[in-house]
Amino acid sequence: MPRVEINFDGIIGPSHNYAGLSPGNLAATRNQGAVSLPRAAALQGIAKMRANLSLGLRQGILLPHARPDHRWLETLATSYADAAPHLQAQALSASAMWAANAATVSPASDTEDGRCHLSVANLVTMPHRSHEWPETLAQLRLAFAHDAFRVHGPVPAPFGDEGAANHMRLAPEHDAPGVEVFVYGISGGPFPARQHREASEAVARRHGLDPARTLFVQQSEEAIAAGAFHNDVVAVANGRVLFAHEHAFADEESFYAGLRRLMPEVEIVEVPAAAVSLADAIASYLFNAQLVTLPSGETALILPTEARATPSVWNWLQAHVAGNGPIRHLEVVDVRQSMANGGGPACLRLRVVADPATVDPRFLVDDAKLDRIAALIEAHWPETIAQDEIGDPALIARIEAARCALLDLLGTVELIDR
Ligand code: SUG
């Protein structure tokens, strides 16, 4: 079977809550202290996967991590019961749901050894995400154990790496040699630049990418300062199409010139600030959409409901489609629970170009498997989590039992204590 794009979505874990842990992520900090709906959140994620399947796309999953992360707390010489409230929140976060931050992926057709390379992201900038990588690595090593893949450990600290959220790939076909674009930040006004150029360069070297077909591009300070803590909040690429906000990059002219030189057929769709302000783009997550190639060969954009609810954004999209732009179809999905923590449709997925036969089948889904997962979520995921409940041992026991039940259902019990 040929290599195709598979979207691996993070199943939203039973500890999903609003602790406001990510400075620079405006939605997450705005919703700090709100009551979360873990069950509804996870079911929204499942519905998005079903929508992808019904478009004829391939779908995979990554699994919720063990939360609270007792191992991490042990390294801090404490336990969940004794930890300060901010450490409890950092140990409990369900942030591994945002699979775009799991790893950077270079498909086999771009790499020197002809294998698909994955580098797990260290996520060192945010304490609550800095302890994700060991379990992510364990999952990637299971899912991609076949010799068609090479799975790498994290780039060492202090070089921040946030994975595919700061990486774009353009290629005439998914399985053809492409141009890989690594977007790093230097400064972000009051907010941290989470992706460091040194980390991006290390990932490109490990993956054996051709330096002549690899670009390193600086994200604009203005975008980070406005709340675009990852590049995928202001830009997304697929196939021959780059879809970006006018203020996404520090020097878009030289980036676009470099891209056109490497890929003359590239279609750059830039949304001017005069039509959609950076603030509207970030609040609506216009660019945190899944830009996908449908089986018909046409390009579709899978957007959050917030994009349809933002008049400047929806007007721009309607005009683009009516004007025969490269994006031909708009699909709207409701991932509001994830959005309220700053994670849109594109944050929830990791793209891997692979022959599905080389992927561990436990990490691939069809409608029937999603039905079974949804039934388990209905039965086990807490309905609500209020911030003042996160110290409650009964809630923690329920969260831990829910994850174990899912791993049992999927036959991945070896991950319970990775
Ligand atoms: O890292 N939110 C995530 C959202 C990640 C979105 N991913 C991409 N853009 N690819 C983050 O800021 C909030 C969790 C909390 O506050 O509890 C959080 O981690």
Side-chain angles (χ1 to χ4, degrees), residues 186-203:
I186 292 180
S187 50
F191 302 132
R194 298 199 205 178
Q195 182 74 36
H196 297 178
R197 182 173 176 134
E198 292 86 347
S200 298
E201 289 176 342
V203 169

Side-chain angles (χ1 to χ4, degrees), residues 16-25 27-29 32 89 93-101 123 126 128-129 132 162 164-166 194 229-233 285 288 338 340-344 346-349 387:
H16 161 66
N17 73 97
Y18 297 120
L21 300 175
S22 280
N25 172 340
T29 47
Q32 177 170 24
S93 175
S95 52
M97 71 173 81
W98 296 297
N101 302 118
L123 297 167
M126 295 293 154
H128 69 290
R129 306 209 63 181
E132 283 176 35
E162 303 263 330
N166 292 303
R194 298 199 205 178
F229 51 94
H230 291 135
N231 171 66
D232 69 4
V233 174
Y285 267 32
N288 200 265
S338 169
N341 248 338
C347 298
L348 286 163
R349 64 93 176 92
Q387 277 309 298

Side-chain angles (χ1 to χ4, degrees), residues 220-270:
S220 81
E221 176 171 347
E222 188 186 349
I224 300 174
F229 51 94
H230 291 135
N231 171 66
D232 69 4
V233 174
V234 279
V236 59
N238 175 62
R240 294 185 174 83
V241 182
L242 169 68
F243 180 45
H245 191 269
E246 181 185 349
H247 296 318
F249 309 108
D251 180 359
E252 71 275 14
E253 289 312 324
S254 64
F255 168 35
Y256 297 163
L259 202 51
R260 289 197 178 100
R261 184 173 44 78
L262 293 175
M263 197 179 170
E265 70 272 38
V266 68
E267 299 189 76
I268 299 175
V269 181
E270 189 187 78

